[in-house]
Amino acid sequence: MKIKNKDILNTHKILFDLELKGKASRLRSRFNRLLQQRYNNVIQPEETELRKQYAIKDEQGEIIYDKNGNFKASVDYINEMDSLMEEYFHIDLNEANKEMLLSIAKLFLDENLIVVSGELAETYDLVCSQFEHVNNFYELNNEKTV
């Protein structure tokens, strides 16, 4: 299963907002931890490094931020960030992840459970197609789905 870096935070948000109990809640938390680890260990540090490389700096070499916390950077920063956000986060379809992935697939593919709009709707559609792939993978390998 693969999710683009740019969709990780929205996927996390969609799941985080669901009211779940018991096992479904635990498996959702496990999946969300994977997403959070990707963000914390890959996306955020690489964005910080790109900011250091490409942001406009003052005479002391410090990044110049405006009152809203924004900064100016070269077009290379935007290109590099676009590239980073288009990279995929891969989650193995294996026995260790099976129960978690099938449980999350069931949540995402339940048309009555998740209501989204705007940017979240775009992410939802993309992630649903990935979870359809997850279901198909386990079914094709004669695995019982949740």
Side-chain angles (χ1 to χ4, degrees):
M1 162 174 202
K2 60 186 182 177
I3 301 173
K4 282 188 178 183
N5 284 341
K6 69 179 181 178
D7 295 320
I8 286 182
L9 290 178
N10 282 344
T11 302
H12 183 279
K13 179 172 177 29
I14 290 167
L15 286 170
F16 186 80
D17 289 343
L18 294 178
E19 292 187 26
L20 303 171
K21 294 181 181 181
K23 192 173 193 175
S25 179
R26 287 186 301 101
L27 293 171
R28 179 259 318 266
S29 294
R30 189 177 303 165
F31 185 78
N32 268 349
R33 274 192 299 277
L34 288 177
L35 299 177
Q36 193 67 43
Q37 287 170 353
R38 173 66 174 199
Y39 181 80
N40 291 339
N41 297 331
V42 176
I43 299 169
Q44 192 172 40
E46 289 186 21
E47 189 279 330
T48 299
E49 184 59 34
L50 291 172
R51 183 183 305 196
K52 287 178 187 175
Q53 289 178 25
Y54 296 113
I56 309 285
K57 299 179 177 105
D58 63 18
E59 300 80 31
Q60 290 79 31
E62 298 295 322
I63 298 172
I64 301 170
Y65 293 94
D66 66 17
K67 63 182 177 183
N68 297 322
N70 299 318
F71 64 96
K72 291 184 181 177
S74 70
V75 73
D76 292 332
Y77 172 81
I78 295 167
N79 293 336
E80 291 288 338
M81 277 302 296
D82 285 347
S83 178
L84 172 63
M85 298 313 276
E86 288 296 316
E87 290 177 8
Y88 284 99
F89 171 46
H90 295 270
I91 301 171
D92 292 333
L93 301 181
N94 57 27
E95 191 61 31
N97 291 333
K98 176 186 169 187
E99 184 178 29
M100 173 190 66
L101 290 174
L102 289 174
S103 177
I104 302 304
K106 184 177 180 182
L107 295 174
F108 261 88
L109 299 174
D110 181 342
E111 295 177 8
N112 298 313
L113 185 61
I114 298 174
V115 177
V116 291
S117 62
E119 186 179 334
L120 288 179
E122 290 180 30
T123 298
Y124 177 74
D125 181 51
L126 294 168
V127 175
C128 277
S129 68
Q130 286 298 303
F131 280 117
E132 288 168 350
H133 171 70
V134 167
N135 278 340
N136 291 338
F137 173 83
Y138 287 113
E139 286 175 8
L140 288 173
N141 287 293
N142 296 320
E143 300 290 340
K144 183 181 175 192
T145 59
V146 176

